[in-house]
Each structure stands twice: as C-alpha cells, then as structure tokens.
Amino acid sequence: MLFRSYKGMKDWNTALDILKIVVDYDDKNPAIRKELIEGYSGKYAAHSRLQDYLKLSNISQSYRSLHEAMDDFEKHIVFDVGNFVFHRTWNIGRIASVKGDEVTIDFAKSRGHKMSLKMAIDSLMPLAKDHIWVLKAIWQKEKLKDKVKNDPAWALKAIIKSFDNRADMKRIKGELVPSILTQSEWNGWSAKAKDILKTDASFGNAQDDIG
C-alpha cells in the first residue's frame, strides 16, 4: 500500500492524504483505523495533547464513524501551546496553555483569556505560523515591508498559501495596502507581481485570478 511507502519516508502529510482517499471508499476496515492513528501519531509526534485528542475522537473505536472521528481529531489537534488563532473580536492570539478542557490564549488586548476547548473550536480560526495575518502581527512592520518589496514571489506565496492556495489580486492588495504598502508602492509592486504570476510555473492557473 502506498501509505506504507510514505510512512517509511516519514512523509506524513502525503501518507494521510492517501488514507483519507481510502476512507472515502472503505470506512469499515479496522486496519484503516490503525493506520490513521499511526499517521496522525507520526505527524503530530511533538504535540503535547496528541494522545488526549486521539482518545477524545474515539478514532480507535469501531462504533465511531471514521469520517466523524477524523473531523473531530483535526479540529482539536490545532490547539496546542504556541499555536496561533484568530478571533473576530480579539484578532490574532497565541495559545499560552491547554489544561484539561480549558484553553488560555494571549491576545494583544486580552492576555490570559480563558475559554473552554469547545468554545475555542467554535469561535477560533487556527492559523499557521506563516499565515500572512500572523506575520503582520509578529514581524516588525519595516522588516515585513522590506521583505515584501524585495521578494514579491515570497509575498505572493505567503498570501496565497494563507487562503487555501487561492487568492486573486484584489485579495492580495487587501492584505498589503495600506497595512504594509502604500498605494503608490502597490502600483509598482503589483506590476512585478503580475509578471511573476504569469511566468512562474509554481503559481498554477494564476491567470484566472490576476485580473
């Protein structure tokens, strides 16, 4: 099985992607549950709550729908100390602790904010450490501005990756102007960006989005 090949290479993301396809066709095979647990355990080996969240999801129990168990696990696993989240009122925060059913988050204007794990799952959007919103929150403005201006390909990749690998120029501009670039700086920068989107093969189907 392909899963075992990627497992051997410790390419856990690809291994899990393969297993999820298998689950769509065969969610009754108990061996799949074992392999999913192996995949999740490999990918999140450094996570402080891995075993708790595996147990909470009941992924090893045959009575639990595999799709539901996977969804449950993946909603919980993003909550670990040091991870970033977004709240529509308090903006960007960083998880300070997860103890039992209580999560403590440090928001800029509400440090040490506590909420239940269930409330956190319902009200917080997990953000990757390289999400553009996180970069804008933790990098000094001048450092980020210099990086964006001097490396437009990096900026494009950072923004597009932040939004499920799809963002048009309107969205990109919204993330950069006026928080990072002025309108006049954007005019020159966007011309370079459009050239990169048209010529760099790593930006698939970009021409549909650049307008």
Side-chain angles (χ1 to χ4, degrees):
M1 186 179 183
L2 275 175
F3 164 76
R4 295 188 183 91
S5 297
Y6 286 100
K7 173 188 170 185
M9 294 184 283
K10 298 189 184 301
D11 183 349
W12 299 112
N13 287 327
T14 303
L16 285 165
D17 285 344
I18 292 167
L19 285 179
K20 289 174 184 178
I21 294 171
V22 173
V23 170
D24 285 339
Y25 291 93
D26 180 11
D27 62 352
K28 305 299 183 186
N29 187 340
I32 300 297
R33 291 181 184 272
K34 182 175 181 295
E35 289 170 341
L36 277 167
I37 292 170
E38 289 178 9
Y40 283 137
S41 297
K43 180 174 180 176
Y44 299 106
H47 197 293
S48 67
R49 301 291 301 277
L50 170 65
Q51 295 304 320
D52 292 337
Y53 292 154
L54 284 172
K55 183 177 180 181
L56 193 63
S57 72
N58 288 313
I59 197 168
S60 64
Q61 305 300 317
S62 59
Y63 65 80
R64 184 80 197 272
S65 158
L66 259 183
H67 286 97
E68 290 178 4
M70 290 159 59
D71 185 57
D72 218 12
F73 175 82
E74 292 182 2
K75 282 181 179 177
H76 283 82
I77 199 66
V78 294
F79 292 95
D80 198 17
V81 175
N83 287 4
F84 291 92
V85 293
F86 172 81
H87 187 278
R88 61 182 178 274
T89 300
W90 301 305
N91 212 315
I92 306 297
R94 194 170 193 177
I95 298 174
S97 69
V98 183
K99 296 179 181 178
D101 189 41
E102 184 178 79
V103 182
T104 303
I105 305 124
D106 287 333
F107 295 101
K109 296 181 180 179
S110 181
R111 297 186 68 81
H113 187 92
K114 298 182 186 300
M115 62 175 68
S116 70
L117 184 58
K118 183 181 186 306
M119 183 178 290
I121 290 170
D122 291 341
S123 64
L124 300 176
M125 178 193 301
L127 298 177
K129 289 178 171 62
D130 57 356
H131 193 289
I132 188 62
W133 296 352
V134 173
L135 298 180
K136 287 198 282 189
I138 66 175
W139 281 31
Q140 291 184 347
K141 182 177 178 179
E142 287 306 312
K143 175 186 175 182
L144 184 55
K145 182 172 185 170
D146 288 345
K147 182 67 173 174
V148 169
K149 290 179 72 173
N150 296 323
D151 195 348
W154 173 87
L156 287 168
K157 288 174 183 176
I159 296 171
I160 293 169
K161 182 183 176 184
S162 296
F163 301 102
D164 297 323
N165 291 320
R166 188 172 183 86
D168 59 17
M169 288 301 286
K170 181 179 179 181
R171 183 61 184 263
I172 293 167
K173 181 178 182 180
E175 293 301 326
L176 296 179
V177 180
S179 59
I180 299 173
L181 302 176
T182 64
Q183 179 62 50
S184 60
E185 288 171 332
W186 164 260
N187 293 337
W189 188 92
S190 62
K192 295 177 184 176
K194 288 180 181 180
D195 285 341
I196 292 170
L197 289 171
K198 289 177 181 176
T199 59
D200 189 332
S202 65
F203 295 98
N205 299 319
Q207 294 185 48
D208 295 338
D209 294 325
I210 60 178

